[in-house]
Every structure is written in structure tokens, then in C-alpha cells.
């Protein structure tokens, strides 16, 4: 396009000394090479200068990956993990979905499924922020383009993605909030091509909780509803979801399923009231499943140990 290409590097190498298959940007496309003079110019990921297991240079003991502290966030990640099945190829999004990798690792089932990130990391344990996009002990590192060929071709069995806000029609917004335009990333491709989708997000903005004795205790309701009448921006359309797709919406307070062009409430966290804690803090009235039940109380205990019951189903 007539622009100037500047490549920042950590070290200079003599021309022709790098194996041709390791060269991803041919020299004919580069105008200038700049050698970084400070170490912090060439971080491997946003949160770490160099993690050898991200690069495939060694395998990190899984016992060294600290479990998540118990919280409503961990309960959500556990509930999302219950949708995984042995043999699944899984795409994980940023935020709470990335915590699912930690849960699966803690529960000892990381070898039963293949976790991936849209950046191209396949296998291992995807890292949450600030290193999202990297994976501990990855099995393969695909190019970004090849990963999306796999995604667009239906190669993912299930995806677990974030949910900024959702509405009565099952639409999800993660891309625009007021003047803040974050963009969709790979969200649209992934949700259009994957048969099973789990959206994860908090029920209200800035709500405060305690997880106590298998129950969710609300300390403060929150200052903004995230289950709204109409999302500000449609990143996933419930209306245009394929009939064969299974779509679940997991929050800390309850679980919804996409049915008949709208949200149906199917589960409620133990310790909460349907009217006062759920319906009164939504901007629409969802359908209520005749089989409405409590979320498994074990999700809200310090130790869980029940992922095997669902992942082998």
C-alpha cells in the first residue's frame, strides 16, 4: 500500500543465518530494522518478559499453576466447564472463559480435552490476562490465519466466550459500550461456526458477593443491569443463531438457555430468590423453564471435584 515497514528486534542476526522456515516476514517486505535498546521493549506477552513454556521450550509442572481463589467468578468458570465433554476441541475467550482452563487443570482433566485460543495456541493451558493468547505447555502453535481456517471450517466443538451484556432475544454485546468501541475480535467468526456456545458474564456491574457454605450471598446488588431489553450493539445475534446450535448464558446468579428466539431461565444459584435477586434486576421478563432448578451447590464450595461427572457424560 506504499507504506513503510519497520521491524523491531531484540538481536541482529547475520543475513542468511536463520532457517528459511523460521522466517515469517521476508526481508523484501521490510524497510527498516530497529534493535531495541531496552529489555522492556521486547516482552513475550503483556504480563511477562519471557515464559519458556509459552514458547514450547519446556513443560511447566501443572502443580505450579496456582488454583483460582474461591469466588463467584470461579463458580461461573466451573459451571461453564460442566459443558465440556471428553475429546472436545475448545476455543476459550478472554476474561472469565480463560479461567475455565485453570478450573480444568485444577480438576485434573486437562488431558481429556484440547483447549485453544484464537491467536493460534493449541493444547496445554491457556493463560488468562495479562498473558491471554499464550498457553502453558502448548502442543502446537498455528498461525493466526490457519487458526481461523480451522475455526471457520467448524473445527471447534465448543467455545466459551465473554458476555458484556445480553438481551431478551439472546443477543450478546462485547464490542461497543457508549463511546468505547472495543471491537469484536474473532467473536463473530467463532460464534457463527461453532455448534455449542457458552457465554459467561456477571449478572450486574460492580455487584459484590460472598461465596459461603455452598451459597451465593449478595452484599451489594450492583449499579448497572447487564441483562437488558436491547443490547447496544449486536456482536452475536440470537435471532440468526443456527437451529442446531446450543447456546448457554452463565452468570454467577443464574443460567439461561437460548430457546424459541429468547432467553429461558433454567438454573438459579443456591441462596438466591427468583423474584428479588434475579427478575427484579433484569430489564425484561425471561421465559422460566418448568424444570427450573438450583445450580449445583458444590460449585460454590472451596473444593469441587465433580467435573468428571459431566466431562465423561
Amino acid at each position: 500500500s506504499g507504506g513503510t515497514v519497520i521491524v523491531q528486534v531484540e538481536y541482529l542476526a547475520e543475513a542468511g543465518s536463520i532457517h528459511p522456515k523460521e522466517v515469517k516476514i521476508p526481508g523484501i517486505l521490510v524497510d527498516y530494522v530497529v534493535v531495541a535498546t531496552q529489555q522492556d521493549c521486547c516482552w513475550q506477552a503483556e504480563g511477562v518478559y519471557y515464559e519458556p513454556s509459552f514458547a514450547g521450550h519446556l513443560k511447566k509442572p501443572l502443580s505450579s499453576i496456582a488454583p483460582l481463589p474461591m469466588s463467584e467468578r470461579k463458580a461461573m468458570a466451573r459451571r461453564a466447564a460442566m459443558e465440556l465433554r471428553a475429546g472436545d476441541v475448545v476455543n476459550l475467550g478472554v476474561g472469565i472463559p480463560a479461567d475455565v482452563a485453570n478450573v480444568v487443570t485444577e480438576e485434573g482433566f486437562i488431558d481429556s480435552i484440547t483447549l485453544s485460543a484464537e491467536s493460534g495456541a493449541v493444547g496445554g493451558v491457556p493463560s488468562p490476562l495479562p498473558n491471554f493468547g499464550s498457553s502453558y505447555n502448548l502442543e502446537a502453535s498455528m498461525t493466526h490465519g490457519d487458526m481461523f481456517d480451522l475455526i471457520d471450517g467448524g473445527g471447534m466443538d465448543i467455545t466459551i466466550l465473554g458476555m458484556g451484556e445480553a438481551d431478551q432475544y439472546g443477543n450478546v454485546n462485547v464490542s461497543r459500550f457508549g463511546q468505547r468501541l472495543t471491537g469484536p475480535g474473532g467473536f463473530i467468526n467463532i460464534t457463527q461456526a461453532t455448534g455449542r456456545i457458552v457465554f459467561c458474564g456477571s449478572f450486574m456491574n460492580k455487584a459484590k458477593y460472598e461465596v459461603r457454605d455452598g451459597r451465593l450471598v449478595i452484599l451489594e446488588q450492583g449499579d448497572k443491569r447487564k441483562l437488558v431489553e436491547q443490547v447496544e450493539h449486536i456482536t452475536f445475534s440470537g435471532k440468526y443463531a443456527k437451529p442446531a446450535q446450543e447456546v448457554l448464558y452463565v452468570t454467577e446468579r443464574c443460567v439461561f438457555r437460548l430457546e424459541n428466539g429468547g432467553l429461558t431461565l433454567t438454573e438459579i444459584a443456591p441462596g438466591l430468590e427468583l423474584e428479588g435477586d434475579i427478575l427484579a434486576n433484569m430489564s425484561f421478563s425471561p421465559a422460566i423453564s418448568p424444570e427450573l432448578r438450583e445450580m449445583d451447590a458444590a460449585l460454590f464450595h472451596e473444593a469441587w471435584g465433580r467435573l468428571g461427572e459431566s466431562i465423561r457424560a
Side-chain angles (χ1 to χ4, degrees), residues 72-73 76 96 162-166 199-207 209 224-227 250-254:
E72 75 282 355
R73 184 185 181 99
M76 270 191 280
I96 295 169
M163 180 177 70
E165 60 178 4
F199 294 116
C200 293
S202 56
F203 187 85
M204 294 190 74
N205 190 46
K206 295 184 179 179
Y209 303 94
K224 184 179 179 181
R225 296 180 179 185
K226 299 178 73 172
L227 278 298
V250 176
T251 77
E252 70 278 23
R253 298 191 192 190
C254 56

Side-chain angles (χ1 to χ4, degrees), residues 80-91 113 156-161 190-199 236 242 244-248 257 310-311 313:
M82 289 176 62
E83 298 302 308
L84 301 175
R85 299 294 178 265
D88 276 349
V89 179
V90 187
N91 167 268
I113 57 177
M156 296 294 153
D157 296 302
I158 183 172
T159 182
I160 303 176
L161 298 171
I190 295 165
T191 55
Q192 294 306 299
T194 306
R196 289 149 53 209
I197 304 170
V198 180
F199 294 116
F236 169 80
K242 298 178 179 66
Q245 284 182 307
E246 300 177 20
V247 186
L248 208 65
R257 188 175 295 276
S310 57
I311 206 168

Side-chain angles (χ1 to χ4, degrees), residues 10-309:
E10 191 170 9
Y11 305 104
L12 280 179
E14 184 176 345
S17 65
I18 299 176
H19 193 287
K21 288 191 174 182
E22 294 182 350
V23 176
K24 304 304 180 184
I25 306 175
I28 57 174
L29 301 179
V30 178
D31 297 299
Y32 299 97
V33 174
V34 177
V35 179
T37 57
Q38 299 179 34
Q39 186 183 61
D40 60 4
C41 292
C42 294
W43 282 45
Q44 181 185 21
E46 185 179 354
V48 63
Y49 181 73
Y50 174 63
E51 166 54 62
S53 67
F54 286 170
H57 292 157
L58 56 76
K59 295 288 187 181
K60 187 182 184 78
L62 296 183
S63 59
S64 67
I65 301 176
L68 296 169
M70 190 60 226
S71 68
E72 75 282 355
R73 184 185 181 99
K74 185 170 186 175
M76 270 191 280
R78 285 171 169 174
R79 179 58 189 86
M82 289 176 62
E83 298 302 308
L84 301 175
R85 299 294 178 265
D88 276 349
V89 179
V90 187
N91 167 268
L92 294 181
V94 69
I96 295 169
D99 290 340
V100 172
N102 189 291
V103 166
V104 174
T105 302
E106 180 183 356
E107 295 294 316
F109 287 92
I110 199 66
D111 293 330
S112 297
I113 57 177
T114 300
L115 300 176
S116 71
E118 66 178 71
S119 59
V122 178
V125 184
S127 173
L129 288 173
N131 301 317
F132 180 73
S134 302
S135 292
Y136 301 103
N137 305 350
L138 75 172
E139 298 170 11
S141 181
M142 302 174 68
T143 67
H144 208 175
D146 285 346
M147 173 56 78
F148 272 92
D149 284 344
L150 176 61
I151 290 169
D152 291 339
M156 296 294 153
D157 296 302
I158 183 172
T159 182
I160 303 176
L161 298 171
M163 180 177 70
E165 60 178 4
D167 66 23
Q168 58 189 320
Y169 307 109
N171 300 323
V172 173
N173 174 25
V174 298
S175 49
R176 183 170 186 168
F177 302 91
Q179 296 300 310
R180 182 163 61 94
L181 181 63
T182 60
F187 196 95
I188 296 171
N189 295 61
I190 295 165
T191 55
Q192 294 306 299
T194 306
R196 289 149 53 209
I197 304 170
V198 180
F199 294 116
C200 293
S202 56
F203 187 85
M204 294 190 74
N205 190 46
K206 295 184 179 179
K208 295 182 179 180
Y209 303 94
E210 279 187 3
V211 177
R212 186 188 307 156
D213 300 324
R215 297 182 302 119
L216 183 66
V217 179
I218 301 174
L219 303 178
E220 293 183 18
Q221 286 287 2
D223 63 0
K224 184 179 179 181
R225 296 180 179 185
K226 299 178 73 172
L227 278 298
V228 297
E229 188 173 346
Q230 177 70 58
V231 293
E232 182 177 354
H233 201 239
I234 298 177
T235 329
F236 169 80
S237 171
K239 177 181 178 180
Y240 290 103
K242 298 178 179 66
Q245 284 182 307
E246 300 177 20
V247 186
L248 208 65
Y249 306 75
V250 176
T251 77
E252 70 278 23
R253 298 191 192 190
C254 56
V255 178
F256 301 91
R257 188 175 295 276
L258 181 62
E259 296 179 344
N260 303 316
L263 293 191
T264 297
L265 181 64
T266 60
E267 300 174 36
I268 181 171
L272 300 190
E273 296 180 356
L274 175 60
E275 290 291 339
D277 296 321
I278 306 296
L279 300 181
N281 293 289
M282 300 174 59
S283 297
F284 62 92
S285 298
I288 308 294
S289 171
E291 299 176 354
L292 179 65
R293 57 188 174 88
E294 280 195 344
M295 298 168 71
D296 187 355
L299 298 170
F300 298 87
H301 280 283
E302 188 69 34
W304 184 29
R306 298 182 65 172
L307 181 59
E309 297 175 16

